[in-house]
């Protein structure tokens, strides 16, 4: 194949993964809004939170939809927060990055390699990474609304991550690695909690550790294993101090998502 058509193929697939990411981001917005309220995340479909008018399918296109309706509900003119479109853009970018690092780089030099010779391990790794990051971002959104993250959400994601992690490797080594990640996730929660809540450092840093932050670390441990978890905790402590110094603690949940993202990229490239 000529190099020009290779580039065209690459762009096409990147656009498709960006679209997929935008759609997952759109769904994550819905999950973050409805989950803390105990509402169903599947039914009813997307609708205006104020006048309950269903959103038309052609306005529900990820990212573009928000611009089509000019950031307002078509029926009642209530502004749709820009946060929705920002989340969709973040998800679109994230899907592209993980497609590139987990699938494209691992497979081969041909853009459609993963369709011709599907690599189960590459696809599983991709799914694992997007599940972890999507969950961390949903938790950050819920935290931004100052609402609690339901335990059922954490346990469901944890279960999914354990299954995916066992699937990425074969045999006992993978099982032991998953178990260690699981245990170190738990230990990390206890250690960080003790460090930040029950020591003088706690009063100095005034870091209000939410259960969501600790659950986030737990999920990181399960998904990525002990080594990366320690890196994430180390970076998170530095960030917690920095955010405290500049009085921006409320960005901690987003900080965990960002640090985890960077740590994954560092570990796979
Ligand atoms: Zn409306």
């Amino acid at each position: 194949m000529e190099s020009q058509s290779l580039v065209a193929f690459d762009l096409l697939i990147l656009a498709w993964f960006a679209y997929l990411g935008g759609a997952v981001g759109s769904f994550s917005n819905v999950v973050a809004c409805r989950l803390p309220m105990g509402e169903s995340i599947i039914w009813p479909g997307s609708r205006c939170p104020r006048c309950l008018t269903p959103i038309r399918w052609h306005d529900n296109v990820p990212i573009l939809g928000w611009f089509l309706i000019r950031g307002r509900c078509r029926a009642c003119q209530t502004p749709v927060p820009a946060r929705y479109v920002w989340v969709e853009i973040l998800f679109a970018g994230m899907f592209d990055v993980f497609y590139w690092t987990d699938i494209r780089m691992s497979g081969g030099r041909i853009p459609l390699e993963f369709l011709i010779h599907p690599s189960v391990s590459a696809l599983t790794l991709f799914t694992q990474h997007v599940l972890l990051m999507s969950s961390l971002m949903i938790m950050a959104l819920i935290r931004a609304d100052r609402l609690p993250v339901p335990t059922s959400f954490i346990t469901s994601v944890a279960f999914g991550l354990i299954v995916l992690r066992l699937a990425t490797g074969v045999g006992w080594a993978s099982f032991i690695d998953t178990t260690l990640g699981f245990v170190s996730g738990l230990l990390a929660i206890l250690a960080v909690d003790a460090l930040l809540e029950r020591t003088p450092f706690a009063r100095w840093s005034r870091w209000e550790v939410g259960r969501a932050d600790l659950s986030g670390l737990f999920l990181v441990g399960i998904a990525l294993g002990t080594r990366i978890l320690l890196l994430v905790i180390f970076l998170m402590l530095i960030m917690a101090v920095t955010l405290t110094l500049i009085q921006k603690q409320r960005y901690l949940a987003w900080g965990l998502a960002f640090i985890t993202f960077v740590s994954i990229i560092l570990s796979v490239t």
Side-chain angles (χ1 to χ4, degrees), residues 47-53 72-78 80:
R47 54 185 189 174
C48 169
R50 177 116 173 265
C51 69
L52 304 183
T53 307
R72 285 175 183 280
C73 167
R74 276 200 203 270
C76 69
Q77 298 297 310
T78 300
V80 179

Side-chain angles (χ1 to χ4, degrees), residues 75-212:
C76 69
Q77 298 297 310
T78 300
V80 179
R83 173 178 119 169
Y84 285 81
V85 72
W86 277 117
V87 168
E88 288 170 7
I89 291 171
L90 275 179
F91 270 77
M94 175 184 87
F95 269 62
D96 267 355
V97 169
F98 285 138
Y99 157 69
W100 200 260
T101 56
D102 296 346
I103 299 174
R104 178 75 163 89
M105 303 280 279
S106 78
R109 294 134 298 276
I110 309 167
L112 283 171
E113 178 85 18
F114 75 99
L115 287 180
I116 307 161
H117 306 288
S119 155
V120 177
S121 63
L123 291 174
T124 314
L125 194 66
F126 172 81
T127 313
Q128 190 187 346
H129 286 157
V130 295
L131 173 62
L132 174 68
M133 284 306 303
S134 305
S135 309
L136 291 180
M137 290 209 262
I138 289 172
M139 285 158 74
L141 286 170
I142 296 176
R143 293 273 283 153
D145 292 334
R146 298 180 181 283
L147 292 168
V149 179
T151 310
S152 58
F153 176 76
I154 313 237
T155 46
S156 314
V157 174
F159 180 75
L161 288 172
I162 290 172
V163 171
L164 284 167
R165 189 151 170 74
L166 286 173
T168 49
V170 192
W172 286 101
S174 168
F175 180 74
I176 291 167
D177 198 25
T178 304
T179 313
L180 276 177
F182 189 86
V183 172
S184 57
L186 269 178
L187 287 177
I189 289 173
L190 295 173
V192 176
D193 192 39
L195 182 67
L196 294 166
E197 302 237 321
R198 296 185 194 93
T199 60
F201 179 78
R203 251 161 285 143
W204 175 73
S205 75
R206 286 172 294 147
W207 179 13
E208 291 172 28
V209 184
R211 210 166 54 91

